[in-house]
Structures are given as C-alpha cells and as structure tokens.
Amino acid sequence: MSLLRRIAHYRQLYRLTPVRYSSNAKEETIDHTKQNDSETHFGFQTVKEDEKWKKVHKVFEEVAASYDLMNDAMSMGVHRIWKDIFMERLSPVGNGIRLLDMAGGTGDISFRYMKYLQKLPADDRKPSHVTVCDINQNMLDVGQKRWEKLNLPTAGDTIEWVCADAEKLPFDDSSFSVYTIAFGIRNCTHIDRVLAEAYRVLKPGGRFMCLEFSHVSNEYLKWVYDQYSFQVIPPMGQILANQWQPYQYLVESIRKFPPQQEFKLMIENAGFKCVQYENLTFGVVAIHSGFKL
C-alpha cells in the first residue's frame, strides 16, 4: 500500500474531516502571559497543571526512538535547514563558551555546535563546554547513542548530559554563555518560569536563543499548513512510528503557542534586552533572540 493510500486509510479509520477556516472568522485571543492556578492546555485539551508535564513526558517517551525519522518525514527534511540557520544566527565564537542546550535530548543543536567548534583554528582557542539538558531521559539516551556513533574528535571541547526540568534548573546563577532551546519551550507548562530560569543561569552578556514552531499569517498558506498538519502528520505518525496521539498532540501544541510578537514580549518581561525574532518558511517556525545585559 502506498504512503498516500495508507494515510487515507488511517484518516478514514480515525474519521478525520478536513479542517476548515474562514478568513473572516474571529480568532480567540489568549493571554499567554497569565497562568491559571490549576489548569493549562495539553494540545487542545484542558488539564491540571500538575498533569501536563506527565503527559508531555509520556509523549516523548513514546516518540524518542522515532523522533529523528518523524522530524524528517513531517518537515520533508526542512527542519535540518532551520537548525542550520539557527546555528548561523547564533554565530558562536567558540572560545571558552559554555552552552546550555535545553530540551536538546537527541543532540541536533549541540552536535551542530560541536562540529562548528572543530572547524575553528586550534591556536589560542580555549575549550568550550556543552550541556545537553532534557526532562526526558529517553530522549537523552537517544542523543548519547547518536553522539557515540558520531565519534567526533573534540580537541578538548566537552559535552555532558543532564536530565532536568527547564522550570527548575540545577545550575548555579550566571553559569552559561549561551542558552538554546529548539522545539521544546511550547511543551513546558509555565513558559514564563522557563524564561526566568534561562535568564538566571546566563552570565551577564549571555544570549538566549529559541527556535520554535510559530504562526503563519497569510490566510491561504495557513489553510494549506493546517490541512497538512492535521490531516497528514498524525496518520504519518501512525504509519512510520505506530503512534497517532503523540503527533496529534504535537500539531495541536503548535497552535496553542503564543504568536511571534506575544512571545517576544514574554522574553522581554523575563528581563532580556535587544529581543528580536525572525520568521522562517513564512512563519512556520521563528527564531527569537535576546541578551542578558
């Protein structure tokens, strides 16, 4: 059975109907800067705040082994270009840098940084250190195995793996030069606490950088994007990874994440300066950047 036929089969099995949007429809405005005392969202579901992290943890336990495969399939490989651009915007100098890669489980950002370091002249370069941090040990296990297979010469640069919550980091104040988080912050229960912790652990002059799915503003492109997200990605997850619900959650979580400008304000409210963002692929993803000054 071809991939398209199998997608159609699973759509019928789960009784999916096309997602319809009107350009004249009024969208609900959600203030993401305020946190409900007891409830939050898990995709389109409303759940208790203390339940969300458990549900998210379960999602990534289930998808860890197939995470990289599904990233390639869902984005048709474009996620690799987004991450390359993200690293270019970081423009790391690579001289004694301490990088915290939060939600970095499988290592995509950290490995790019380590490869970048090895291209720099060795003369007078101080070794850098990367901390890959994730709340899910399964994701870290996948990343560590990938790192071992990569067998990259590091010329004194070091990497470590830490299982920890982005809202309660086990690191001292002013510990890192750079904090990166790619496709992870939307899964956190309290985004404001994640940003506060990022600010706390960064050194003065340190940089915060976030790569995350965002919002397409063009109505026609948005319609195409929504159809692909809801009608193709969950069936694809079922076919390639035998997982429907985790990928249903992932596309729903993107819609619940704050729009670009609103997220920019949240970063500024956490204390960061010179905050800006850049849309990639018409706003499908965005890079947000700020400094602790």
Side-chain angles (χ1 to χ4, degrees):
M1 188 184 294
S2 70
L3 179 60
L4 291 177
R5 287 183 179 178
R6 292 176 72 184
I7 288 174
H9 167 73
Y10 283 110
R11 284 183 56 194
Q12 184 176 14
L13 181 65
Y14 284 82
R15 297 181 179 177
L16 290 178
T17 55
V19 181
R20 294 184 175 87
Y21 292 90
S22 168
S23 60
N24 296 321
K26 183 178 180 181
E27 296 185 359
E28 180 183 1
T29 301
I30 301 173
D31 185 356
H32 293 271
T33 62
K34 296 180 180 179
Q35 295 291 342
N36 188 290
D37 290 338
S38 58
E39 294 182 333
T40 187
H41 61 82
F42 175 74
F44 291 162
Q45 301 177 41
T46 299
V47 299
K48 298 292 184 182
E49 284 190 350
D50 59 0
E51 293 177 356
K52 179 174 179 176
W53 77 268
K54 299 175 185 177
K55 289 179 175 291
V56 171
H57 193 274
K58 185 173 185 294
V59 164
F60 285 95
E61 275 188 338
E62 293 174 346
V63 305
S66 57
Y67 187 73
D68 294 318
L69 170 65
M70 282 301 300
N71 277 345
D72 280 329
M74 289 189 303
S75 71
M76 293 175 282
V78 178
H79 77 101
R80 297 175 183 270
I81 298 174
W82 295 332
K83 291 168 183 173
D84 288 341
I85 295 173
F86 184 65
M87 188 55 58
E88 288 176 5
R89 299 299 183 266
L90 175 59
S91 301
V93 293
N95 196 13
I97 296 296
R98 289 182 55 84
L99 169 70
L100 174 60
D101 182 21
M102 191 63 228
T106 58
D108 271 2
I109 301 302
S110 296
F111 298 166
R112 279 171 169 77
Y113 180 66
M114 293 296 278
K115 289 177 181 178
Y116 171 86
L117 291 176
Q118 308 322 306
K119 297 177 182 178
L120 297 177
D123 297 342
D124 300 325
R125 183 173 76 80
K126 297 179 181 178
S128 293
H129 179 75
V130 174
T131 299
V132 186
C133 191
D134 202 294
I135 196 172
N136 193 296
Q137 186 62 48
N138 293 57
M139 298 290 283
L140 290 169
D141 290 343
V142 171
Q144 285 179 286
K145 289 177 182 177
R146 289 184 62 202
W147 176 248
E148 291 169 3
K149 290 181 179 179
L150 192 60
N151 195 26
L152 183 72
T154 58
D157 301 306
T158 53
I159 186 168
E160 67 173 337
W161 309 80
V162 177
C163 188
D165 185 348
E167 297 184 14
K168 296 175 289 185
L169 293 173
F171 307 117
D172 293 336
D173 295 357
S174 305
S175 300
F176 295 94
S177 316
V178 181
Y179 177 112
T180 60
I181 183 166
F183 303 120
I185 199 167
R186 76 179 189 281
N187 298 307
C188 299
T189 304
H190 304 101
I191 295 175
D192 56 340
R193 295 180 191 175
V194 175
L195 294 171
E197 279 292 88
Y199 189 87
R200 179 184 69 80
V201 301
L202 278 171
K203 299 176 181 179
R207 190 175 188 184
F208 168 85
M209 287 197 66
C210 176
L211 174 66
E212 187 55 89
F213 286 107
S214 201
H215 296 265
V216 177
S217 58
N218 182 283
E219 288 295 328
Y220 299 104
L221 292 176
K222 179 182 176 183
W223 184 88
V224 173
Y225 178 46
D226 285 330
Q227 298 305 313
Y228 177 75
S229 296
F230 288 98
Q231 306 302 319
V232 175
I233 290 178
M236 191 182 296
Q238 181 68 38
I239 294 166
L240 298 179
N242 198 30
Q243 298 286 348
W244 180 291
Q245 292 302 329
Y247 291 98
Q248 182 72 28
Y249 157 73
L250 290 174
V251 296
E252 291 177 358
S253 68
I254 295 168
R255 278 33 181 212
K256 300 295 287 186
F257 190 67
Q260 290 89 323
Q261 183 63 27
E262 189 174 336
F263 185 46
K264 175 178 180 287
L265 293 175
M266 294 179 72
I267 298 170
E268 291 174 340
N269 288 339
F272 289 100
K273 307 298 182 184
C274 304
V275 180
Q276 57 186 356
Y277 67 86
E278 175 186 0
N279 286 329
L280 304 180
T281 317
F282 307 104
V284 172
V285 300
I287 296 172
H288 281 76
S289 170
F291 292 87
K292 179 178 178 177
L293 301 176

